[in-house]
Amino acid sequence: DHFSLNKLVLEVIERFRETNDHAIHFDNADNDMLLIADRNRIEQVLVNLISNAIKYSPNEQEIEVRIRQDHNQAHVSIRDFGIGIPEHAFEKLFTKFYRVDNSDTRKIGGTGLGLSICKEIIESHGGSIEVESSIGKGSTFTFTLDLAEETS
Ligand code: ATP
Ligand code: MG
């Protein structure tokens, strides 16, 4: 299926804005980016990542969503200023049922499935997903997908 990534991201963000107190800033790309992908599943990735950003930012810090084109690829990043993730957890983060175990995450709760689903969806579309984070400062999750060929 053919769809505008920009429109999908905006739609998802607007839904979160209606139901959450965290400010969500959207840094949109200048150009429209078309994807050939399963729109519902890419939507699920966005929902999981934005939900995490909100859930692991207990002090209602803002969330930043940014999309950019680089050559024939789209990069989508979701940044928060929340509790952060220890480096030792990076390699296990995207596996099923894995949760960082500390007093903050125990308070927050979860099943540890969201990120494994994100990885599965992004990789099944030929893309990749990465994390950058530091404890107490926040986290950025970025996924990359190939764009649809220009039809001109
Ligand atoms: P759920 O299945 O409801 O999504 P979950 O949020 O615990 O549960 P994942 O989304 O897979 O599971 O995330 C795995 C773990 O990674 C989390 O338990 C948390 O420890 C850590 N994590 C994920 N996103 C963030 C984030 N934005 N900031 C800090 N820690 C995070
Ligand atoms: Mg989650």
Side-chain angles (χ1 to χ4, degrees), residues 14-124:
E14 279 177 346
R15 228 184 300 134
F16 274 100
R17 282 175 178 155
E18 284 166 16
T19 53
N20 276 281
D21 293 331
H22 290 71
I24 305 178
H25 181 255
F26 181 29
D27 185 357
N28 199 349
D30 296 330
N31 51 310
D32 204 38
M33 288 186 261
L34 289 183
L35 292 184
I36 298 176
D38 183 332
R39 195 178 193 275
N40 291 328
R41 302 211 84 202
I42 303 303
E43 177 176 346
Q44 194 187 350
V45 171
L46 290 164
V47 168
N48 288 356
L49 294 176
I50 297 171
S51 300
N52 279 348
I54 290 171
K55 166 166 142 173
Y56 298 106
S57 300
N59 299 322
E60 283 177 20
Q61 297 97 330
E62 67 168 290
I63 310 299
E64 290 178 2
V65 181
R66 163 192 249 257
I67 66 178
R68 284 293 182 275
Q69 179 170 350
D70 180 30
H71 297 89
N72 69 329
Q73 291 186 314
H75 298 281
V76 179
S77 60
I78 291 91
R79 181 177 188 194
D80 67 61
F81 300 90
I83 66 174
I85 299 163
E87 224 178 293
H88 71 78
F90 288 1
E91 59 174 319
K92 285 168 276 180
L93 213 57
F94 297 94
T95 58
K96 261 186 202 167
F97 303 115
Y98 177 78
R99 304 198 70 227
V100 175
D101 185 27
N102 61 38
S103 58
D104 285 330
T105 55
R106 277 196 294 274
K107 251 178 275 164
I108 294 167
T111 55
L113 283 172
L115 288 178
S116 67
I117 293 166
C118 290
K119 186 179 166 82
E120 203 251 8
I121 293 172
I122 293 301
E123 290 186 348
S124 76

